[in-house]
Amino acid sequence: MDQIQLQKLDTTVLKWLDQVHHLVEQRVRQRMQVDTKSSHRDLVTNVDREVEQYYVQHIRNFDPEAQILGEEGLGDAVKSMKGRIWFVDPIDGTMNFVKQQSEFATMVAVYEDGEPVMAWIMDVQQHDIIHGGPEYGVFHNGEKLELSADIGLDEGLVILSGARLLYEEPGFPQLAKAAMGYRVYGSAGISYLHVLTGKAVAYLSRMRPWDFAAGITLAKSLGLRVGTIDEQPMNMLVSGSVLVATDKAYADIMALLQKKG
Ligand code: IPD
Ligand code: CA
Ligand code: CA
């Protein structure tokens, strides 16, 4: 896509994000319907479904040829990365959304023939947005975002998945101990926002494609390191243990994980 097309794409999705912000603001004042999915901790609400429906309708109008991979299943059964694919996580951090009405995100990413094009992550309650792509640059609410200082693990905060820590998945407790501090936010999107703005040096979790598609697009575009911790190639259509970090923290973490045995 050329710069004019990228600009149009960005302006269009930023308008959708405004609408999503207002829609969610209204819905939190109303009675929410909360259901469980795979476990009592895996929640979905009527708002998750409504926001996904909103994105699906607008993407279909704007980009009718594309396929949509959405968490709540209102898009397509995407089998390959050929063509244009939109990844949608309507509400990321649904537990935070239900319990706190804060610290939750909405995430959208566009890929073309397997390559990242653009992505958007919004802290919905704060209306705080990071958006951009490899050929476009990365912006924080419209202001160009620059890569923060290259800080190592012992000087920074590492963000980890709470479940991985709780169940002592190999490497996770060691990482929490080695870092200057560790944090668990309960939302991949909020975690990525912290790494992208230099508040944390790394985020590591096992996630599904809609959880990491936007985060890795923005991280790579900004110049952060992105990889899987088993050093397998990234597969955009399956779950993976995805690491985003500064160069120094990435090297520290990989060295530590190789020693974990
Ligand atoms: C979850 C959150 C959580 C992460 C899980 C995700 P959801 O997303 O991002 O922080 O640890 O892996 O599934 O289900 O609230 O969209
Ligand atoms: Ca979600
Ligand atoms: Ca999610």
Side-chain angles (χ1 to χ4, degrees), residues 48 71-72 89-94 210:
D48 297 58
E71 175 170 16
E72 309 310 338
D89 190 342
I91 302 284
D92 173 70
T94 301
W210 44 81

Side-chain angles (χ1 to χ4, degrees), residues 151-160 165 171-183 200-203 249 252-253 256:
I151 291 172
L153 196 58
D154 60 347
E155 287 183 276
L157 295 174
V158 64
I159 305 173
L160 297 166
L165 257 184
F172 280 72
Q174 293 89 326
L175 272 187
K177 285 178 193 152
M180 187 172 195
Y182 69 94
R183 297 288 181 269
V201 295
Y203 171 48
D252 292 341
I253 291 169
L256 213 122

Side-chain angles (χ1 to χ4, degrees), residues 55-77:
Y55 284 130
V56 168
Q57 262 174 16
H58 285 78
I59 295 167
R60 298 260 192 246
N61 280 334
F62 178 74
D63 192 6
E65 307 279 279
Q67 293 194 83
I68 305 166
L69 183 56
E71 175 170 16
E72 309 310 338
L74 303 177
D76 304 297

